[in-house]
Amino acid sequence: MKTLSVLPLVILGTIVGAVIGVALVMLETLPEQASAQAAGIDNLYSAFLFVSGIIFGIVVLVMLVALFRFRARPNDTRDGSNLHGVTWLEVVWTAIPFVLVLAVAFFSWNLLNDNDVSAAAAKDCQSIHITGYQCGGKYTYLNDGIGIKDSPELVVPVNVPIAFDITTMDVMHSFWVPAWRLQMGATPAQTNYTSATPSKIGEFDIVCAFLCGVGHTQMNSAVEGALVSKVRVVSQADFDKWVAETKAAAA
Ligand SMILES: [Cu+2]
């Protein structure tokens, strides 16, 4: 019976996969980083991408070599060898994904836990309630003395932790600001929480990330005819000015 020496293939696959992994990371496909949490998310993502490249290299190389080596030659109509399992191999290929999934869960949980600024900065953070609906979002500022209710526009001060609580008036939506690396679902009859610290002044896209019905495509500030506007990150002075103007206009 033909066999395959796996170890050299695994080593070669690791090298090829590492090259693929580095290339994928260097493609820099991620949007600009505009929150204090973005770099951590991107680093973790890049690490996962690199490891995925290595796994891809090993799996594909072993598969291709096995396909070639164990292929049926012309006119060879014999049955394949009758295998009844290889216990050590099955233990290994169960254990490796198990460890990988645990590692992904551990590092992700750790980072997301660190990124939760709402608990750490409960005193100095800006609390905003988001209500999603078909097709848009309304923002109510919960901090004392602001008193802006159901603003169609999200304006936030730079370098201040923002704690969002998110609900929906109808179906499921999702509040997603790619530049902040933040996404949270809006679930009927439930309040969800998320937070971020915007680190860059400017305008950033808001996207609904759940297919929420007709009009979903317009719940994306990047498209023409969008029904949601971009989030505006401004200086504290400009924020105070916007609050005063918005309140004056409402009165
Ligand atoms: Cu939506």
Side-chain angles (χ1 to χ4, degrees):
M1 192 174 81
K2 275 185 179 176
T3 56
L4 199 67
S5 37
V6 173
L7 192 64
L9 284 179
V10 169
I11 293 167
L12 185 62
T14 304
I15 295 166
V16 173
V19 172
I20 294 171
V22 169
L24 286 173
V25 171
M26 281 169 62
L27 278 179
E28 289 185 16
T29 51
L30 299 168
E32 70 174 309
Q33 299 175 343
S35 76
Q37 293 74 25
I41 297 271
D42 288 3
N43 290 343
L44 190 65
Y45 180 82
S46 297
F48 289 163
L49 197 59
F50 176 70
V51 174
S52 302
I54 292 178
I55 295 166
F56 176 83
I58 295 171
V59 169
V60 169
L61 190 70
V62 171
M63 186 183 73
L64 289 178
V65 172
L67 273 173
F68 179 77
R69 189 164 165 77
F70 301 115
R71 73 193 187 283
R73 302 301 196 278
N75 305 321
D76 181 356
T77 55
R78 288 171 302 160
D79 283 341
S81 51
N82 195 359
L83 274 172
H84 280 283
V86 183
T87 308
W88 72 266
L89 189 60
E90 286 164 20
V91 169
V92 168
W93 79 42
T94 306
I96 292 175
F98 180 70
V99 170
L100 284 171
V101 170
L102 276 189
V104 167
F106 173 79
F107 289 115
S108 303
W109 188 88
N110 229 358
L111 182 72
L112 292 174
N113 202 39
D114 288 349
N115 280 358
D116 178 15
V117 293
S118 58
K123 280 203 189 91
D124 352 277
C125 76
Q126 186 67 244
S127 289
I128 298 175
H129 177 83
I130 304 177
T131 311
Y133 62 91
Q134 284 174 317
C135 309
K138 300 189 283 196
Y139 308 93
T140 295
Y141 290 71
L142 303 172
N143 284 31
D144 289 343
I146 294 197
I148 293 176
K149 212 172 166 284
D150 293 339
S151 161
E153 190 188 18
L154 179 60
V155 180
V156 295
V158 72
N159 294 328
V160 172
I162 319 279
F164 296 101
D165 61 76
I166 303 170
T167 57
T168 167
M169 288 167 68
D170 38 56
V171 299
M172 288 173 84
H173 299 279
S174 175
F175 177 67
W176 182 26
V177 181
W180 290 350
R181 306 294 187 275
L182 165 153
Q183 188 190 122
M184 180 52 74
T187 317
Q190 185 177 312
T191 303
N192 295 332
Y193 303 91
T194 189
S195 58
T197 310
S199 59
K200 240 185 216 172
I201 288 179
E203 298 196 355
F204 304 98
D205 282 318
I206 297 179
V207 184
C208 174
F210 283 151
L211 185 57
C212 57
V214 178
H216 167 70
T217 49
Q218 281 134 290
M219 287 184 79
N220 178 346
S221 64
V223 303
E224 214 174 300
L227 296 170
V228 293
S229 49
K230 291 173 195 273
V231 51
R232 266 201 305 131
V233 182
V234 297
S235 67
Q236 185 67 50
D238 286 347
F239 177 71
D240 295 340
K241 213 171 106 194
W242 175 78
V243 170
E245 283 169 6
T246 308
K247 273 162 80 173

